[in-house]
Every structure is written in structure tokens, then in C-alpha cells.
Amino acid sequence: MMRILYMALVALICLSFTASTVSKTAVKCMIQMKNYTGEGAYIVVSVTDKEGEYKETIYVHGKDPEWYSEIDSWWKFYGKHRPDIDAISGETIAGGERSISVLEIPTQYINSNHKLRFETAVEDQDYNEVDLELDLTDGNLKSKVDGTGWIRYVRLMPQK
């Protein structure tokens, strides 16, 4: 009986170490918003696959969960599971402002037919399912990309 308990404990310890060894690439991300009046924008940064299906939430600008359901497409993904996103969330970004954060992108998604999607929503104004989207490649993680909705542009720079 002790031998079975010992083997179970060893297996549990091994699994816990492998689960936490996901390699991540740190990327500095500056978001510059367009000039507009109204509330700050909620911005969700996600990894999607080539079919546009959500794989992982990378960062959320906007800490009030009451408004997450207004980010329609992402909510269909996130709302089913509701993982704790406190460690990857920050304040909303108002019109004309900029914000700098560090995105921790799982390295397995880079150069493997995945995209980085920026979704935006402003209270009582428009929701942009794909305000900005780019292929997750080494080259694109060193670029400036223009948004199509509330985001003027995003500048990305890998951290060493």
C-alpha cells in the first residue's frame, strides 16, 4: 500500500513540474489609442489558431468583470471557463492614451500558424472583434501594426 502511495506522489510531483515548464516569450507591447471621447477601451489580447479559434488569453486591459461579456467573441471563449486573469490584466486605455505592458506569449504559438488578436470595446460605442491581428512570427514580434478600430497602432518588441 505504501509503495502505491509513494508512486502516486512521485507521479503527481512530476506532473506538477511539467505543467509549469511552458516556455514563454516576453514581448513588450505599446498600444497607442486613437483620439476619441468616452470611456476607456477594454482590450483583449488573445492567441487564435488559423481558423480564428481562441487558444489563450494573453492580456486584458480592463479589470471590471461586469463588462467582459460586452467583448462578444472573446466572452464565448473565456466565459465558458473563466480562468483567473488577475495576473494578466490592467486598466482600460482612454482615447489618445498609450499603455505599455509585457505580453507573455507561449513560445509554442510563435511561427506555427497562430495569430495575435487585439479586440476592443468602448462602453456605449463600438465593439471591434478584430481591431488588429497579426501572424505570430518572429518578424512580426518586432513590428508596428496599425489598428482598424479604437487602436491607432501597436508596437511590439521582444525582451531579452
Side-chain angles (χ1 to χ4, degrees):
M1 180 67 172
M2 288 300 287
R3 182 174 179 199
I4 293 172
L5 286 173
Y6 175 76
M7 290 175 64
L9 180 61
V10 168
L12 182 63
I13 290 170
C14 288
L15 287 174
S16 68
F17 282 119
T18 58
S20 64
T21 60
V22 173
S23 174
K24 295 194 176 192
T25 300
V27 178
K28 188 181 286 186
C29 174
M30 184 189 76
I31 299 174
Q32 174 67 55
M33 302 301 288
K34 292 181 178 175
N35 292 325
Y36 70 88
T37 57
E39 299 294 325
Y42 274 68
I43 302 171
V44 174
V45 183
S46 303
V47 173
T48 61
D49 63 18
K50 62 184 176 184
E51 287 83 28
E53 298 294 320
Y54 291 90
K55 302 306 282 181
E56 191 166 329
T57 302
I58 302 298
Y59 202 89
V60 177
H61 285 279
K63 290 190 172 201
D64 190 351
E66 174 184 347
W67 300 106
Y68 290 167
S69 62
E70 299 296 315
I71 308 165
D72 296 335
S73 293
W74 173 73
W75 180 252
K76 290 174 187 168
F77 165 75
Y78 171 78
K80 291 177 187 173
H81 311 290
R82 296 204 190 182
D84 182 17
I85 60 171
D86 286 342
I88 59 167
S89 63
E91 299 300 319
T92 59
I93 310 172
E97 291 184 346
R98 70 176 56 166
S99 176
I100 297 175
S101 55
V102 176
L103 307 178
E104 295 285 336
I105 302 171
T107 306
Q108 69 190 25
Y109 295 130
I110 300 171
N111 298 318
S112 65
N113 290 319
H114 288 83
K115 294 182 181 283
L116 195 61
R117 176 184 291 175
F118 291 75
E119 241 167 296
T120 58
V122 173
E123 184 179 345
D124 296 326
Q125 296 192 52
D126 290 338
Y127 160 66
N128 298 287
E129 179 181 7
V130 182
D131 193 322
L132 186 152
E133 190 170 65
L134 61 124
D135 291 329
L136 262 175
T137 63
D138 288 327
N140 283 343
L141 293 179
K142 303 173 190 169
S143 66
K144 175 184 167 194
V145 182
D146 293 332
T148 60
W150 300 112
I151 296 174
R152 181 179 309 261
Y153 64 85
V154 168
R155 185 176 303 275
L156 301 169
M157 183 184 313
Q159 301 298 286
K160 302 249 176 187

